[in-house]
Amino acid sequence: MSTPLVLIVGRPNVGKSTLFNRLTNSTTAIVDDVSGVTRDRIYGDVDWNGKYFRVIDTGGYVPNTEDLFETAIREQIEIAMDECDAILFVVDGRIGLTPSDKEVSELLRRANKPSYLLVNKCDSPAFAVNAAEFYSFGLKNVYDVSALNGRNLGNLLDDLMANLSFADDLDTEVRLRLAIIGKPNVGKSSIVNALLGYDRTIVTNIPGTTRDSIDSVLKYYGEEVVLVDTAGLRKKSKVKENIEFFSNVRTYKALWSCDVAILLLDSNLGIENQDQKIIDEAVRRRKGLILAVNKWDLIEKETNTAKQYTDAIQRKMGSIDYVPIVYVSALTKQRIFKLIDVAKKVNEERKKKIPTSELNDILLPEIENMPPPASPTGKEVKIKYIQQVGDHYPIFMFFCNDPRNIPDHYKRFLEKMIRRIFGFEGVPMTLTFKQK
């Protein structure tokens, strides 16, 4: 069972980003009096009484044109119904109800997902009367709240958590969960179809991570691999930005629930900003990561074309230079099954444990040859002991006399040293420093 996903929807400038920041205890979403400030989809985690769910701030997706607004808001709610576990519908209690709010309420009332109407900007009990007119929508869950100061959000969260499903135990899935993700039109569906259509595979369907998605099981040389659903739009969207919204929701849901993500790139475009955001999220979630450059059959080749392309990608990725790159073609099926082999290897690297004695015997002499710089007060910083911990991805604990004065550049040096000696290709890792 995956972590529940909750979407925040509503007109521009009703306080969606303020609500997001309050729930996630962050300042990630930009807040301004001007409507439509939020242009990118914002994703965050919410912890309430020890239980977690994920929330998406969808503010600002609507183009600032009146004729497209109703179409855009309707499409987004329809997408939300498909993809999320619950919906927070935010309205402005100071302005009152609008025709657009009424249309959204009708969609939510017919939906099978839990929905909550938040009459925002009710900053004190004196403003609670502002919520009265919104009861005419016929929605069951109505709350007069203030995203700015948190008024009544505790009651909302208590009710929300009671209607979400949480896993009682850690995921016991033993099969490799592989997500093929990327921007629209890079060939994700073609790659998946090519993999599932191979005559050495057996394909079955199993329930996916949400009620409406189906993951596929690929049997590859006797081993089952789960392809996490990243399917495209169920119907044509009239508003271009909603296609991007839908793509982002599916991409992040697939990424969150997988072991290894294959980020598909268009060979003619390389890494773009949206790709970089996906890479950053995969690293933040400590997922295994592979880059697959699709449509490689369309590139005119010379002797070192692949090497030059790889060098260009690695320059863009900076410190994330440990990710394997595979050049494929969904059309000709060139190297598509190498993706499965590389993904299996990355997954094994992700679970690899280095014995403590081996870590210390090999790394401590290297550290002595290149010790951390002295602290600002001139005190010598010494690393005395190293241990690998963590069950789902590699975490290395360094015990030292002054952990606060280990500079970032030396942490990067240590990570590169671990990778040079022990591998961990395609696997983000965490380095922590403790007092000893």
Side-chain angles (χ1 to χ4, degrees):
M1 188 179 297
S2 62
T3 304
L5 176 64
V6 176
L7 270 70
I8 303 173
V9 300
R11 295 185 294 107
N13 208 33
V14 294
K16 296 187 299 298
S17 294
T18 303
L19 177 64
F20 174 91
N21 289 341
R22 169 69 63 172
L23 293 177
T24 59
N25 193 28
S26 70
T27 56
T28 302
I30 299 172
V31 179
D32 197 278
D33 289 336
V34 178
S35 66
V37 168
T38 305
R39 300 306 301 169
D40 292 326
R41 310 291 85 73
I42 307 295
Y43 307 81
D45 296 317
V46 180
D47 173 10
W48 184 249
N49 293 334
K51 289 189 175 181
Y52 294 85
F53 64 90
R54 295 191 174 109
V55 63
I56 298 182
D57 174 17
T58 60
Y61 79 97
V62 179
N64 191 22
T65 54
E66 292 298 326
D67 58 323
L68 282 179
F69 177 78
E70 290 187 2
T71 300
I73 195 74
R74 173 181 287 276
E75 286 184 359
Q76 174 151 357
I77 299 302
E78 289 172 350
I79 291 169
M81 290 176 186
D82 284 340
E83 296 304 317
C84 70
D85 297 289
I87 303 168
L88 303 181
F89 172 33
V90 185
V91 297
D92 190 328
R94 301 288 181 92
I95 293 179
L97 62 84
T98 68
S100 297
D101 293 331
K102 179 68 174 177
E103 182 176 357
V104 174
S105 71
E106 290 174 356
L107 289 170
L108 295 182
R109 197 168 59 248
R110 295 195 298 267
N112 292 322
K113 302 290 177 72
S115 57
Y116 301 82
L117 175 58
L118 279 59
V119 184
N120 194 26
K121 305 182 183 180
C122 296
D123 300 326
S124 70
F127 290 102
V129 68
N130 294 355
E133 62 180 327
F134 291 96
Y135 281 92
S136 65
F137 287 169
L139 295 175
K140 179 180 177 182
N141 304 305
V142 181
Y143 303 82
D144 54 284
V145 303
S146 171
L148 187 62
N149 62 34
R151 179 178 173 272
N152 277 349
L153 289 183
N155 295 333
L156 162 71
L157 288 170
D158 287 340
D159 294 344
L160 173 64
M161 302 300 268
N163 285 296
L164 295 177
S165 298
F166 298 88
D168 294 328
D169 302 304
L170 291 175
D171 188 10
T172 57
E173 176 70 76
V174 296
R175 296 172 295 189
L176 169 63
R177 294 183 63 82
L178 180 61
I180 298 177
I181 57 181
K183 302 191 305 293
N185 302 320
V186 294
K188 297 188 299 296
S189 296
S190 298
I191 287 285
V192 170
N193 289 339
L195 287 170
L196 296 178
Y198 192 59
D199 58 11
R200 197 164 52 226
T201 66
I202 299 172
V203 181
T204 60
N205 288 326
I206 60 172
T209 55
T210 66
R211 271 166 254 165
D212 298 306
S213 88
I214 297 294
D215 298 337
S216 299
V217 176
L218 169 69
K219 193 165 186 180
Y220 182 67
Y221 288 103
E223 183 176 348
E224 288 188 345
V225 177
V226 180
L227 297 180
V228 181
D229 178 29
T230 55
L233 284 167
R234 287 184 173 81
K235 67 175 186 176
K236 184 69 174 176
S237 174
K238 296 179 182 178
V239 180
K240 183 178 179 181
E241 291 197 9
N242 275 343
I243 298 176
E244 179 195 350
F245 165 75
F246 185 98
S247 174
N248 280 345
V249 172
R250 273 286 168 89
T251 293
Y252 280 84
K253 285 182 67 177
L255 180 59
W256 292 332
S257 64
C258 75
D259 299 308
V260 178
I262 297 177
L263 175 59
L264 205 60
L265 307 175
D266 188 319
S267 61
N268 293 303
L269 300 176
I271 291 183
E272 298 185 311
N273 288 339
Q274 191 172 342
D275 300 311
Q276 190 61 60
K277 291 177 182 179
I278 296 173
I279 292 170
D280 292 343
E281 180 70 6
V283 171
R284 190 168 77 90
R285 299 285 176 183
R286 299 297 187 261
K287 303 293 186 179
L289 184 61
I290 300 167
L291 297 188
V293 182
N294 192 27
K295 306 177 185 178
W296 192 241
D297 55 310
L298 302 180
I299 299 295
E300 293 187 10
K301 321 261 188 331
E302 297 180 0
T303 305
N304 295 316
T305 302
K307 183 181 184 306
Q308 292 169 358
Y309 203 103
T310 297
D311 291 342
I313 288 178
Q314 289 181 338
R315 282 195 297 271
K316 275 195 170 185
M317 295 181 67
S319 61
I320 313 175
D321 57 359
Y322 51 83
V323 178
I325 302 173
V326 183
Y327 296 92
V328 301
S329 168
L331 182 63
T332 66
K333 298 188 178 182
Q334 180 184 22
R335 284 188 287 273
I336 61 169
F337 288 96
K338 183 178 179 180
L339 291 174
I340 305 296
D341 295 328
V342 175
K344 289 170 61 178
K345 180 181 177 183
V346 167
N347 192 47
E348 290 302 316
E349 290 287 289
R350 192 167 177 250
K351 297 185 291 186
K352 183 167 66 177
K353 294 291 182 64
I354 309 299
T356 301
S357 58
E358 186 177 352
L359 273 177
N360 287 274
D361 290 345
I362 295 176
L363 295 185
L364 286 181
E366 296 260 357
I367 291 172
E368 288 179 9
N369 291 333
M370 187 68 69
S375 69
T377 61
K379 179 181 178 181
E380 184 179 9
V381 180
K382 289 186 177 181
I383 294 175
K384 301 178 179 181
Y385 185 72
I386 309 162
Q387 183 180 14
Q388 183 182 353
V389 297
D391 296 324
H392 302 290
Y393 62 88
I395 302 173
F396 293 93
M397 297 182 67
F398 291 80
F399 296 90
C400 53
N401 64 333
D402 193 2
R404 292 175 298 178
N405 284 309
I406 303 287
D408 289 340
H409 70 84
Y410 193 77
K411 294 177 183 178
R412 290 192 294 270
F413 163 76
L414 292 175
E415 179 177 339
K416 286 184 177 292
M417 180 174 63
I418 292 172
R419 294 188 184 280
R420 171 171 55 83
I421 297 171
F422 298 110
F424 295 102
E425 183 182 29
V427 181
M429 63 175 61
T430 297
L431 273 59
T432 63
F433 296 84
K434 301 289 185 180
Q435 183 82 35
K436 180 157 178 85

